[in-house]
Amino acid sequence: MPRQSVALIGVDVLSSKGVLRAQTILLEDGRISKIGPGPDVSVPEHVKTLNLPNHTVIPGLVGMHDHTHMPGQTFMGASASRLWLASGVTTVQTAGSADFSSELALTEAIRAGDVAGPRIFPTAPYLTGPDGNGPMAKPKTPDEARQLVRDWSASGATWFKLYRHIQPHIAEAVIDEAHKLGRKVTGHLCSLTFSEAARLGIDSIEHGLISASDFIAEKTTGQCISNRSTLAGLEMDDPRIKLLIDLLVAKQVTLTSTLAIIESHFAHRPQADERSLVLLSETWREQYETRQHRLRQTGGQLPPSVLGKLMAFEVQFSKAGGRLVMGPDPGRHVLPGYGNQRGFELLVEAGFSVHEALEIATANGAEALGIGEKVGRISEGYLADLVILEGDLSADPGVIRNVKLVIKGGELYSPAKLLAGLEGKFGPQ
C-alpha cells in the first residue's frame, strides 16, 4: 500500500516506559507527527483513519542477526525480505553474507522502493582463519585483511563479521581498519575469547555465553575448541562471569541474543511451529523431521540446565548496564521474522519484562546501528516504523505473532499479502 497520512485510533501504545491505553497516533510524511489520548489529537479530514481497539502498537522490530542465507541456500533474500516485513521486522543487520553481491542488490532495491522489505545494513562476507569453513575469506596477513575491509566497505558493507577460527592479529587489523572507515565489527567467536575481542575493540559479539571460550582452562591463544563441557560445569555465580561482564560493559561491547536458534539445540524445548513448517521446501522439511528424530533419540549435546545459564548470562549482562540486542540467526527451522518473534518470547521467558524485551528487540538495536534517533521508538518526529498487533502484548508475549498491519517509513503493508506464495520457498527447491 502507498505511503499516506494515517491516524491509528484507539490503540494501546507499548514502549519501554509502559503502556498508554486508547491512544491516537497520527502519521504524516512518513513520520509520527502526534501521539496522545483520542480527545487530545486533532485528525485532519483528509487523513485515513483506522479504528483499532484491542490492538497494541509497537516499534518495528530491529533484527541484529538476520541472514539473507541459511545452510543449503546461499541467498534467500527475495523470500526473507517479505517474511521479515510480514513479521514486523522493519530493520535488519545481516551479520555475515554468503552472497554479498545479491545482498547489496537487495539492499538497494528495497531502498529504491522496488522491493518490499526492511531497511538492510549489509554485512561483508565472513572472515575466518586457516581452519575455518571453506567458502569464507581467510586473509593470511593483516595487510590482506585491511584490503578486504577497504574493498568491501567501498562496495557497501556497513559491518564486518569475524568467525570462529579468526586469529588475533587478523582480528585486530580488521577492527582497526573498519573503525577508520566508520564501520563496525561483530563476531561469532571461539579462537578469540570475549575478553580478548573486547580489548581489541570489537563492537558486538554474537550468541552470548554459548560461544564464549573464556572459561576453558586448556585453551591456548588463537585456538578454537568446544566449550560444551565447560558450560555444563559453569555456575552462574562464578566470579569470573561478573569480571567478564564488567569488562564487556566497560568496553561498550554490544551482545546479541540469539535464543531462537539456541533453543533448537535442546530436545526438551518447543521446536518448529506449523507456520514455519509450511514455508520449508520438501527437502528441508525432510531434514527437519530427521533432525527432530535424532534430537529426541540423543537428547541433544547439551544438558537442559545449560539453556537456563545462557538466559541468565544475558539478564546479568543487561542488568549490569550492557546493551543487549536480538536476532534469530536463521537456520534449521528458525526462519527470518518468525525467529525474531520467537526471540522476543524467549527474552520474556529469560526474565525480562515485556517492556524490557521490547526495548532489546527495537531501540537497543537501532542505537547499535547508529539510527537510534530515527527508529526503534514510538515518539513524535520518529520515522513511522510501527507494528499493529491484535491483542494486548503487555499481558501476553505471544501476541507478538498476531501481526495485523506493518508500517515502514509511513508505508502500510498487509502481512497476508506479503506471505502469499511463500509456501515451500525456504530451502533447496
Side-chain angles (χ1 to χ4, degrees):
M1 292 180 241
R3 175 161 39 178
Q4 54 189 304
S5 296
V6 176
L8 309 177
I9 309 293
V11 294
D12 294 337
V13 177
L14 183 61
S15 71
S16 59
K17 296 180 180 179
V19 186
L20 299 173
R21 303 288 184 186
Q23 300 290 293
T24 292
I25 305 177
L26 183 60
L27 310 178
E28 297 179 291
D29 297 323
R31 294 185 178 272
I32 301 169
S33 63
K34 189 69 176 177
I35 306 171
D40 296 346
V41 179
S42 177
V43 179
E45 290 185 3
H46 71 276
V47 172
K48 177 182 177 65
T49 59
L50 299 176
N51 292 297
L52 296 164
N54 303 314
H55 285 75
T56 303
V57 178
I58 63 171
L61 300 178
V62 180
M64 292 296 290
H65 194 135
D66 289 70
H67 298 308
T68 54
H69 66 89
M70 288 172 66
Q73 192 173 20
T74 56
F75 187 71
M76 57 180 184
S79 300
S81 60
R82 291 163 57 190
L83 185 52
W84 273 319
L85 206 54
S87 305
V89 181
T90 55
T91 304
V92 299
Q93 186 261 100
T94 55
S97 172
D99 185 342
F100 189 40
S101 61
S102 294
E103 186 168 298
L104 291 174
L106 176 65
T107 301
E108 183 53 40
I110 292 172
R111 184 183 296 123
D114 299 330
V115 174
R119 64 182 60 80
I120 295 177
F121 285 73
T123 306
Y126 295 78
L127 290 150
T128 190
D131 297 326
N133 296 40
M136 297 182 182
K138 302 173 183 177
K140 297 180 175 62
T141 67
D143 285 345
E144 184 182 347
R146 288 177 183 275
Q147 189 61 54
L148 283 174
V149 171
R150 289 192 291 268
D151 291 344
W152 289 336
S153 180
S155 296
T158 57
W159 282 69
F160 295 86
K161 173 78 170 279
L162 306 178
Y163 204 61
R164 291 167 47 82
H165 291 84
I166 195 78
Q167 292 303 293
H169 66 298
I170 301 296
E172 182 177 20
V174 170
I175 293 168
D176 181 65
E177 195 67 27
H179 288 173
K180 286 180 180 178
L181 297 169
R183 305 301 195 262
K184 294 184 178 181
V185 181
T186 189
H188 176 172
L189 304 180
C190 178
S191 55
L192 278 181
T193 65
F194 284 18
S195 298
E196 290 169 334
R199 292 190 175 96
L200 289 175
I202 199 167
D203 299 285
S204 182
I205 296 175
E206 308 295 318
H207 303 301
L209 189 61
I210 198 169
S211 64
S213 55
D214 297 69
F215 309 107
I216 303 174
E218 63 272 24
K219 182 186 180 305
T220 59
T221 301
Q223 181 187 28
C224 177
I225 55 178
S226 173
N227 68 348
R228 295 185 189 279
S229 60
T230 304
L231 285 176
L234 190 64
E235 298 299 331
M236 295 312 295
D237 59 358
D238 190 315
R240 295 175 299 169
I241 290 180
K242 183 180 185 305
L243 287 173
L244 174 58
I245 288 175
D246 287 346
L247 175 64
L248 295 175
V249 173
K251 294 294 184 179
Q252 298 183 320
V253 178
T254 296
L255 192 69
T256 305
S257 171
T258 58
L259 291 174
I261 192 67
I262 288 172
E263 181 183 44
S264 70
H265 291 283
F266 295 89
H268 72 294
R269 299 294 302 181
Q271 299 294 312
D273 60 23
E274 192 57 35
R275 299 185 312 163
S276 298
L277 290 177
V278 299
L279 300 185
L280 299 183
S281 67
E282 183 178 352
T283 299
W284 269 9
R285 181 72 176 258
E286 291 173 354
Q287 290 179 2
Y288 169 77
E289 298 294 349
T290 300
R291 188 166 53 248
Q292 290 306 302
H293 176 75
R294 184 168 60 248
L295 189 62
R296 289 190 296 269
Q297 293 295 110
T298 65
Q301 296 180 316
L302 291 168
S305 61
V306 168
L307 181 59
K309 296 176 183 181
L310 303 179
M311 290 178 165
F313 183 81
E314 296 185 1
V315 173
Q316 290 180 24
F317 172 78
S318 181
K319 300 302 183 188
R323 182 166 59 198
L324 187 67
V325 299
M326 186 268 284
D329 186 15
R332 303 184 179 94
H333 55 270
V334 179
L335 299 182
Y338 289 168
N340 300 73
Q341 295 173 349
R342 182 57 182 159
F344 171 84
E345 294 172 338
L346 289 168
L347 287 170
V348 176
E349 182 181 335
F352 293 102
S353 69
V354 170
H355 310 290
E356 290 168 335
L358 184 64
E359 186 158 21
I360 291 166
T362 57
N364 284 8
E367 290 170 3
L369 293 172
I371 56 171
E373 295 181 353
K374 298 179 181 179
V375 302
R377 298 187 185 278
I378 301 177
S379 183
E380 292 176 6
Y382 271 57
L383 288 177
D385 277 21
L386 303 172
V387 186
I388 293 88
L389 304 169
E390 188 171 5
D392 185 356
L393 184 63
S394 66
D396 178 8
V399 167
I400 195 71
R401 303 185 182 206
N402 301 342
V403 181
K404 180 75 172 285
L405 185 69
V406 178
I407 304 173
K408 178 198 158 197
E411 295 190 30
L412 279 61
Y413 294 91
S414 161
K417 290 182 179 179
L418 290 168
L419 292 170
L422 290 185
E423 296 84 355
K425 294 297 184 182
F426 289 84
Q429 301 301 302

Short mmCIF file of all heavy atoms in Angstrom, two decimals, residues 8-15 18-23 25 52-59 344 354-355 358 378 386-396 399-400 402-406:
data_model
loop_
_atom_site.label_atom_id
_atom_site.label_comp_id
_atom_site.label_asym_id
_atom_site.label_seq_id
_atom_site.Cartn_x
_atom_site.Cartn_y
_atom_site.Cartn_z
N LEU A 8 -4.12 6.18 13.56
CA LEU A 8 -4.44 4.94 14.24
C LEU A 8 -5.22 5.31 15.49
O LEU A 8 -4.71 5.97 16.39
CB LEU A 8 -3.15 4.18 14.61
CG LEU A 8 -2.14 3.98 13.48
CD1 LEU A 8 -0.88 3.28 14.00
CD2 LEU A 8 -2.75 3.19 12.33
N ILE A 9 -6.47 4.87 15.55
CA ILE A 9 -7.40 5.33 16.59
C ILE A 9 -7.65 4.23 17.62
O ILE A 9 -7.91 3.07 17.27
CB ILE A 9 -8.77 5.74 15.98
CG1 ILE A 9 -8.56 6.72 14.81
CG2 ILE A 9 -9.68 6.31 17.04
CD1 ILE A 9 -8.03 8.05 15.20
N GLY A 10 -7.57 4.59 18.91
CA GLY A 10 -7.95 3.68 19.98
C GLY A 10 -6.95 2.59 20.28
O GLY A 10 -7.31 1.55 20.87
N VAL A 11 -5.69 2.78 19.92
CA VAL A 11 -4.69 1.73 20.10
C VAL A 11 -3.99 1.86 21.46
O VAL A 11 -3.91 2.94 22.04
CB VAL A 11 -3.63 1.79 18.98
CG1 VAL A 11 -4.24 1.47 17.64
CG2 VAL A 11 -2.93 3.15 18.95
N ASP A 12 -3.47 0.73 21.93
CA ASP A 12 -2.60 0.73 23.10
C ASP A 12 -1.16 0.83 22.61
O ASP A 12 -0.74 0.04 21.74
CB ASP A 12 -2.78 -0.56 23.92
CG ASP A 12 -4.16 -0.67 24.54
OD1 ASP A 12 -4.82 0.39 24.72
OD2 ASP A 12 -4.59 -1.80 24.82
N VAL A 13 -0.43 1.79 23.11
CA VAL A 13 0.95 2.01 22.69
C VAL A 13 1.88 1.42 23.74
O VAL A 13 1.87 1.82 24.90
CB VAL A 13 1.24 3.52 22.51
CG1 VAL A 13 2.70 3.74 22.14
CG2 VAL A 13 0.33 4.10 21.44
N LEU A 14 2.67 0.44 23.31
CA LEU A 14 3.60 -0.23 24.22
C LEU A 14 5.01 0.22 23.91
O LEU A 14 5.47 0.15 22.77
CB LEU A 14 3.49 -1.75 24.06
CG LEU A 14 4.35 -2.60 25.00
CD1 LEU A 14 3.98 -2.35 26.45
CD2 LEU A 14 4.20 -4.08 24.67
N SER A 15 5.69 0.71 24.93
CA SER A 15 7.08 1.13 24.78
C SER A 15 7.85 0.68 25.99
O SER A 15 7.31 0.02 26.89
CB SER A 15 7.16 2.65 24.64
OG SER A 15 6.85 3.28 25.87
N GLY A 18 6.23 1.68 29.35
CA GLY A 18 4.96 1.17 29.82
C GLY A 18 3.91 1.16 28.73
O GLY A 18 4.23 1.18 27.55
N VAL A 19 2.64 1.16 29.14
CA VAL A 19 1.53 1.10 28.20
C VAL A 19 0.70 2.37 28.31
O VAL A 19 0.35 2.81 29.40
CB VAL A 19 0.62 -0.11 28.48
CG1 VAL A 19 -0.45 -0.24 27.40
CG2 VAL A 19 1.42 -1.39 28.57
N LEU A 20 0.41 2.95 27.16
CA LEU A 20 -0.54 4.06 27.08
C LEU A 20 -1.79 3.53 26.40
O LEU A 20 -1.74 3.06 25.26
CB LEU A 20 0.06 5.22 26.27
CG LEU A 20 1.33 5.86 26.84
CD1 LEU A 20 1.89 6.87 25.85
CD2 LEU A 20 1.04 6.51 28.18
N ARG A 21 -2.90 3.59 27.09
CA ARG A 21 -4.14 3.00 26.59
C ARG A 21 -4.93 3.99 25.74
O ARG A 21 -4.90 5.20 25.97
CB ARG A 21 -5.00 2.54 27.77
CG ARG A 21 -4.33 1.54 28.70
CD ARG A 21 -4.18 0.18 28.07
NE ARG A 21 -3.61 -0.80 29.01
CZ ARG A 21 -3.28 -2.03 28.69
NH1 ARG A 21 -3.45 -2.46 27.44
NH2 ARG A 21 -2.77 -2.85 29.60
N ALA A 22 -5.66 3.42 24.76
CA ALA A 22 -6.62 4.18 23.95
C ALA A 22 -6.03 5.46 23.38
O ALA A 22 -6.54 6.56 23.58
CB ALA A 22 -7.87 4.48 24.76
N GLN A 23 -4.93 5.30 22.65
CA GLN A 23 -4.23 6.43 22.07
C GLN A 23 -4.59 6.62 20.60
O GLN A 23 -5.04 5.68 19.93
CB GLN A 23 -2.72 6.23 22.18
CG GLN A 23 -2.21 6.09 23.61
CD GLN A 23 -2.28 7.38 24.38
OE1 GLN A 23 -1.57 8.34 24.07
NE2 GLN A 23 -3.13 7.42 25.40
N ILE A 25 -2.54 7.81 17.14
CA ILE A 25 -1.22 8.10 16.57
C ILE A 25 -1.45 8.65 15.17
O ILE A 25 -2.05 7.99 14.32
CB ILE A 25 -0.34 6.83 16.49
CG1 ILE A 25 -0.22 6.17 17.86
CG2 ILE A 25 1.04 7.19 15.95
CD1 ILE A 25 0.57 4.87 17.83
N LEU A 52 -8.80 0.90 15.76
CA LEU A 52 -8.13 -0.34 16.16
C LEU A 52 -8.20 -0.57 17.67
O LEU A 52 -7.17 -0.70 18.36
CB LEU A 52 -6.66 -0.30 15.71
CG LEU A 52 -6.42 -0.26 14.20
CD1 LEU A 52 -5.00 0.16 13.88
CD2 LEU A 52 -6.74 -1.62 13.59
N PRO A 53 -9.39 -0.66 18.24
CA PRO A 53 -9.47 -1.02 19.66
C PRO A 53 -8.96 -2.45 19.85
O PRO A 53 -9.01 -3.27 18.93
CB PRO A 53 -10.96 -0.91 19.97
CG PRO A 53 -11.63 -1.11 18.65
CD PRO A 53 -10.72 -0.51 17.62
N ASN A 54 -8.47 -2.74 21.03
CA ASN A 54 -7.95 -4.06 21.37
C ASN A 54 -6.74 -4.44 20.51
O ASN A 54 -6.52 -5.62 20.22
CB ASN A 54 -9.03 -5.13 21.24
CG ASN A 54 -10.24 -4.83 22.10
OD1 ASN A 54 -10.10 -4.47 23.28
ND2 ASN A 54 -11.43 -4.92 21.53
N HIS A 55 -5.98 -3.45 20.09
CA HIS A 55 -4.74 -3.68 19.35
C HIS A 55 -3.59 -2.95 20.05
O HIS A 55 -3.78 -1.89 20.65
CB HIS A 55 -4.85 -3.17 17.91
CG HIS A 55 -5.68 -4.05 17.03
ND1 HIS A 55 -7.05 -4.08 17.10
CD2 HIS A 55 -5.32 -4.93 16.05
CE1 HIS A 55 -7.52 -4.94 16.20
NE2 HIS A 55 -6.50 -5.47 15.55
N THR A 56 -2.41 -3.54 19.95
CA THR A 56 -1.20 -2.95 20.52
C THR A 56 -0.31 -2.47 19.40
O THR A 56 -0.12 -3.18 18.41
CB THR A 56 -0.43 -3.99 21.37
OG1 THR A 56 -1.26 -4.50 22.40
CG2 THR A 56 0.82 -3.36 21.99
N VAL A 57 0.26 -1.28 19.57
CA VAL A 57 1.21 -0.75 18.61
C VAL A 57 2.60 -0.75 19.25
O VAL A 57 2.77 -0.28 20.38
CB VAL A 57 0.85 0.67 18.15
CG1 VAL A 57 1.90 1.22 17.20
CG2 VAL A 57 -0.51 0.67 17.48
N ILE A 58 3.57 -1.31 18.53
CA ILE A 58 4.96 -1.33 18.98
C ILE A 58 5.85 -0.77 17.88
O ILE A 58 5.44 -0.69 16.72
CB ILE A 58 5.43 -2.75 19.35
CG1 ILE A 58 5.40 -3.67 18.12
CG2 ILE A 58 4.58 -3.33 20.48
CD1 ILE A 58 6.04 -5.04 18.34
N PRO A 59 7.08 -0.38 18.21
CA PRO A 59 8.01 0.00 17.14
C PRO A 59 8.33 -1.20 16.26
O PRO A 59 8.22 -2.36 16.69
CB PRO A 59 9.27 0.46 17.91
CG PRO A 59 8.81 0.68 19.31
CD PRO A 59 7.67 -0.27 19.54
N PHE A 344 11.86 -12.71 20.90
CA PHE A 344 11.19 -11.82 21.86
C PHE A 344 10.52 -12.63 22.97
O PHE A 344 10.66 -12.31 24.16
CB PHE A 344 10.15 -10.96 21.12
CG PHE A 344 9.27 -10.16 22.03
CD1 PHE A 344 9.67 -8.93 22.51
CD2 PHE A 344 8.02 -10.65 22.40
CE1 PHE A 344 8.85 -8.19 23.35
CE2 PHE A 344 7.19 -9.92 23.24
CZ PHE A 344 7.62 -8.69 23.72
N VAL A 354 8.07 -7.59 29.59
CA VAL A 354 7.68 -7.37 28.21
C VAL A 354 8.26 -6.04 27.70
O VAL A 354 8.75 -5.95 26.57
CB VAL A 354 6.15 -7.38 28.06
CG1 VAL A 354 5.72 -6.89 26.68
CG2 VAL A 354 5.61 -8.78 28.30
N HIS A 355 8.25 -5.03 28.55
CA HIS A 355 8.77 -3.73 28.15
C HIS A 355 10.28 -3.77 27.91
O HIS A 355 10.80 -3.20 26.95
CB HIS A 355 8.44 -2.68 29.22
CG HIS A 355 7.01 -2.69 29.63
ND1 HIS A 355 6.00 -2.27 28.80
CD2 HIS A 355 6.40 -3.11 30.77
CE1 HIS A 355 4.82 -2.40 29.42
NE2 HIS A 355 5.05 -2.92 30.60
N LEU A 358 10.99 -5.67 24.72
CA LEU A 358 10.69 -4.85 23.55
C LEU A 358 11.82 -3.85 23.27
O LEU A 358 12.20 -3.64 22.12
CB LEU A 358 9.38 -4.10 23.76
CG LEU A 358 8.90 -3.29 22.56
CD1 LEU A 358 8.58 -4.20 21.38
CD2 LEU A 358 7.67 -2.46 22.92
N ILE A 378 8.48 4.79 19.67
CA ILE A 378 7.26 5.47 19.25
C ILE A 378 7.29 6.85 19.89
O ILE A 378 6.95 7.03 21.06
CB ILE A 378 6.01 4.67 19.66
CG1 ILE A 378 6.05 3.28 19.04
CG2 ILE A 378 4.74 5.41 19.24
CD1 ILE A 378 4.88 2.39 19.44
N LEU A 386 6.14 1.04 12.51
CA LEU A 386 5.23 0.57 13.54
C LEU A 386 4.66 -0.79 13.18
O LEU A 386 4.53 -1.13 12.00
CB LEU A 386 4.07 1.56 13.74
CG LEU A 386 4.45 3.01 14.09
CD1 LEU A 386 3.21 3.89 14.04
CD2 LEU A 386 5.10 3.08 15.45
N VAL A 387 4.31 -1.55 14.21
CA VAL A 387 3.66 -2.85 14.03
C VAL A 387 2.38 -2.84 14.83
O VAL A 387 2.39 -2.53 16.03
CB VAL A 387 4.57 -4.01 14.50
CG1 VAL A 387 3.92 -5.35 14.17
CG2 VAL A 387 5.95 -3.91 13.87
N ILE A 388 1.27 -3.17 14.19
CA ILE A 388 -0.03 -3.24 14.88
C ILE A 388 -0.33 -4.70 15.13
O ILE A 388 -0.42 -5.51 14.20
CB ILE A 388 -1.14 -2.58 14.04
CG1 ILE A 388 -0.91 -1.06 13.94
CG2 ILE A 388 -2.50 -2.82 14.70
CD1 ILE A 388 -0.05 -0.62 12.80
N LEU A 389 -0.46 -5.02 16.41
CA LEU A 389 -0.69 -6.40 16.85
C LEU A 389 -2.11 -6.53 17.40
O LEU A 389 -2.58 -5.67 18.15
CB LEU A 389 0.30 -6.78 17.95
CG LEU A 389 1.78 -6.63 17.63
CD1 LEU A 389 2.62 -6.78 18.89
CD2 LEU A 389 2.22 -7.66 16.59
N GLU A 390 -2.76 -7.61 17.05
CA GLU A 390 -4.10 -7.86 17.58
C GLU A 390 -3.99 -8.49 18.96
O GLU A 390 -3.44 -9.58 19.11
CB GLU A 390 -4.89 -8.78 16.64
CG GLU A 390 -6.34 -8.94 17.03
CD GLU A 390 -7.15 -9.67 15.97
OE1 GLU A 390 -6.55 -10.15 14.98
OE2 GLU A 390 -8.38 -9.76 16.14
N GLY A 391 -4.48 -7.78 19.99
CA GLY A 391 -4.39 -8.26 21.36
C GLY A 391 -3.55 -7.34 22.23
O GLY A 391 -3.07 -6.30 21.79
N ASP A 392 -3.37 -7.77 23.46
CA ASP A 392 -2.64 -6.98 24.46
C ASP A 392 -1.28 -7.61 24.71
O ASP A 392 -1.16 -8.58 25.46
CB ASP A 392 -3.45 -6.91 25.76
CG ASP A 392 -2.82 -6.02 26.81
OD1 ASP A 392 -1.71 -5.49 26.57
OD2 ASP A 392 -3.43 -5.85 27.88
N LEU A 393 -0.25 -7.07 24.08
CA LEU A 393 1.09 -7.63 24.22
C LEU A 393 1.60 -7.53 25.65
O LEU A 393 2.35 -8.39 26.10
CB LEU A 393 2.06 -6.91 23.27
CG LEU A 393 3.49 -7.45 23.22
CD1 LEU A 393 3.53 -8.89 22.72
CD2 LEU A 393 4.38 -6.56 22.36
N SER A 394 1.19 -6.50 26.37
CA SER A 394 1.68 -6.35 27.75
C SER A 394 1.20 -7.48 28.65
O SER A 394 1.83 -7.78 29.66
CB SER A 394 1.22 -5.01 28.33
OG SER A 394 -0.20 -4.96 28.47
N ALA A 395 0.10 -8.13 28.27
CA ALA A 395 -0.44 -9.24 29.07
C ALA A 395 -0.02 -10.60 28.55
O ALA A 395 -0.03 -11.58 29.29
CB ALA A 395 -1.97 -9.15 29.10
N ASP A 396 0.35 -10.67 27.26
CA ASP A 396 0.67 -11.97 26.64
C ASP A 396 1.76 -11.78 25.60
O ASP A 396 1.49 -11.25 24.51
CB ASP A 396 -0.58 -12.55 26.00
CG ASP A 396 -0.32 -13.88 25.29
OD1 ASP A 396 0.80 -14.43 25.42
OD2 ASP A 396 -1.24 -14.36 24.59
N VAL A 399 1.33 -12.49 21.75
CA VAL A 399 0.65 -11.57 20.85
C VAL A 399 1.62 -11.02 19.80
O VAL A 399 1.18 -10.53 18.75
CB VAL A 399 -0.03 -10.43 21.66
CG1 VAL A 399 -0.49 -9.28 20.78
CG2 VAL A 399 -1.22 -11.00 22.44
N ILE A 400 2.92 -11.12 20.05
CA ILE A 400 3.92 -10.66 19.08
C ILE A 400 3.72 -11.34 17.73
O ILE A 400 4.15 -10.82 16.69
CB ILE A 400 5.35 -10.92 19.60
CG1 ILE A 400 6.41 -10.14 18.82
CG2 ILE A 400 5.68 -12.40 19.60
CD1 ILE A 400 6.40 -8.67 19.04
N ASN A 402 0.74 -11.95 16.37
CA ASN A 402 -0.54 -11.57 15.78
C ASN A 402 -0.41 -10.25 15.01
O ASN A 402 -1.02 -9.24 15.37
CB ASN A 402 -1.60 -11.42 16.86
CG ASN A 402 -1.83 -12.69 17.66
OD1 ASN A 402 -1.45 -13.78 17.22
ND2 ASN A 402 -2.42 -12.56 18.83
N VAL A 403 0.38 -10.25 13.97
CA VAL A 403 0.65 -9.02 13.23
C VAL A 403 -0.52 -8.71 12.30
O VAL A 403 -0.82 -9.46 11.37
CB VAL A 403 1.96 -9.13 12.42
CG1 VAL A 403 2.23 -7.83 11.67
CG2 VAL A 403 3.13 -9.46 13.35
N LYS A 404 -1.18 -7.58 12.54
CA LYS A 404 -2.35 -7.16 11.75
C LYS A 404 -1.93 -6.24 10.60
O LYS A 404 -2.46 -6.32 9.49
CB LYS A 404 -3.33 -6.44 12.67
CG LYS A 404 -4.60 -5.94 11.99
CD LYS A 404 -5.55 -7.07 11.70
CE LYS A 404 -6.90 -6.56 11.21
NZ LYS A 404 -7.73 -5.98 12.28
N LEU A 405 -0.95 -5.37 10.87
CA LEU A 405 -0.52 -4.39 9.89
C LEU A 405 0.90 -3.96 10.23
O LEU A 405 1.26 -3.86 11.40
CB LEU A 405 -1.45 -3.17 9.91
CG LEU A 405 -1.22 -2.07 8.87
CD1 LEU A 405 -1.59 -2.57 7.47
CD2 LEU A 405 -2.06 -0.83 9.22
N VAL A 406 1.71 -3.73 9.20
CA VAL A 406 3.08 -3.25 9.38
C VAL A 406 3.23 -1.94 8.64
O VAL A 406 2.77 -1.79 7.49
CB VAL A 406 4.12 -4.28 8.86
CG1 VAL A 406 5.54 -3.74 9.02
CG2 VAL A 406 3.97 -5.61 9.60
#
